[in-house]
Amino acid sequence: GKARSNTAGTYTIVQDDDSIGSITFSGADGTDTVSQAARIVSQVDGNVGVNSMPGRLIFKTSSSGSTSPTERLRITSAGRVGIGTTNPKKQLHVYVGDSGFPDNGTYGNLVIESDGNPTLQLLAPNTNESQIYFGDNNNGQTGRIIYDHEEDKMFFFTQNNERVTITGD
């Protein structure tokens, strides 16, 4: 537990971005066990109030040649996950022309951000499929994208029906 006070028995309220706990993983490097390989940090993620403690988790790892972990993944109090970003934020979707979709913006639950080319990669054996499913809470599966690695085909489904197939040809 953490309070902003140094006096035992007092509970001075913590503030947004305060670290309130961590787990550090260190190993012997031939000199000592001070070099950190990884760290999980819990921080306050918003306004604190009576019986309200919004929190985030930050996962850090050290790259080769480093003894200081760098943030790699963050889970916010809103449940958004960021990989390569410290601020998995609102992503505004803009549609050109009359696409039938509102231009009201949505929140991304998983944000992958990079200074280069952000990549989401699904890997499976060459005899299996990689799949992405889309659905709602009431009706279950309503759409999906499937890549069949064995036949090198990509399938697109809406309303649980195959609509488009793309082959290697």
Side-chain angles (χ1 to χ4, degrees):
K2 172 174 170 88
R4 283 192 143 238
S5 163
N6 291 331
T7 306
T10 61
Y11 300 101
T12 305
I13 194 167
V14 291
Q15 297 177 5
D16 191 21
D17 296 327
D18 279 357
S19 289
I20 56 177
S22 66
I23 301 171
T24 301
F25 303 87
S26 300
D29 61 6
T31 304
D32 54 31
T33 58
V34 176
S35 299
Q36 295 182 15
R39 191 168 186 209
I40 302 171
V41 178
S42 172
Q43 293 180 336
V44 177
D45 192 28
N47 294 324
V48 177
V50 175
N51 296 322
S52 174
M53 185 61 56
R56 65 176 159 256
L57 284 177
I58 298 170
F59 294 81
K60 299 179 174 190
T61 60
S62 293
S63 58
S64 182
S66 174
T67 60
S68 179
T70 301
E71 182 171 333
R72 308 297 184 186
L73 181 134
R74 177 180 291 222
I75 304 171
T76 70
S77 60
R80 291 191 292 276
V81 177
I83 300 172
T85 178
T86 60
N87 186 19
K89 56 191 175 286
K90 182 176 182 177
Q91 302 296 307
L92 181 61
H93 296 176
V94 178
Y95 300 95
V96 178
D98 185 16
S99 63
F101 295 104
D103 181 18
N104 61 358
T106 59
Y107 284 93
N109 291 43
L110 173 64
V111 177
I112 301 172
E113 188 171 316
S114 169
D115 289 338
N117 300 311
T119 302
L120 174 63
Q121 189 174 33
L122 305 176
L123 300 174
N126 62 3
T127 56
N128 291 27
E129 299 173 339
S130 294
Q131 303 180 26
I132 301 173
Y133 286 81
F134 305 89
D136 57 48
N137 293 336
N138 299 326
N139 299 329
Q141 174 186 310
T142 58
R144 65 184 181 265
I145 301 169
I146 299 174
Y147 187 80
D148 184 320
H149 297 276
E150 188 169 26
E151 295 186 28
D152 288 325
K153 291 182 181 178
M154 184 170 280
F155 304 91
F156 293 85
F157 290 75
T158 61
Q159 297 177 333
N160 295 320
N161 293 304
E162 184 179 331
R163 305 297 184 173
V164 175
T165 301
I166 301 172
T167 66
D169 298 331

